[in-house]
Amino acid sequence: MRAALVWQHGRFLAIRTEMSCSVVLYHMNEFFAEVWYSPEDNQIALVHGFGSRKLLEPYLDVIDLKELME
């Protein structure tokens, strides 16, 4: 399961709310992962991995990318 791998190997970076879901961002060394959790359904709705910095824009106010890339 993707979520288990993210929790086991990922580094928590930030959390935000989008479309009534809690979206948690993790750093996975070579890429990033978002875990979308739906409190309404009490389950994970999506686990999304990506390498694009463009997708990090919603988090740029709360994370420092320079620190991660060292």
Side-chain angles (χ1 to χ4, degrees):
M1 177 189 239
R2 288 182 184 184
L5 289 173
V6 171
W7 290 321
Q8 185 175 29
H9 300 288
R11 177 179 163 204
F12 171 83
L13 295 177
I15 189 168
R16 66 187 176 94
T17 302
E18 184 77 29
M19 299 185 311
S20 75
C21 286
S22 295
V23 185
V24 186
L25 178 69
Y26 292 88
H27 184 234
M28 301 290 292
N29 293 326
E30 300 295 321
F31 62 97
F32 296 91
E34 286 182 324
V35 177
W36 289 62
Y37 170 74
S38 171
E40 187 176 296
D41 300 326
N42 193 31
Q43 65 181 0
I44 294 170
L46 174 70
V47 178
H48 175 244
F50 61 93
S52 167
R53 290 188 181 193
K54 176 95 174 134
L55 295 175
L56 291 173
E57 286 182 3
Y59 303 99
L60 293 180
D61 290 341
V62 295
I63 62 171
D64 183 2
L65 291 180
K66 290 181 221 168
E67 188 177 298
L68 295 175
M69 301 304 167
E70 293 178 345

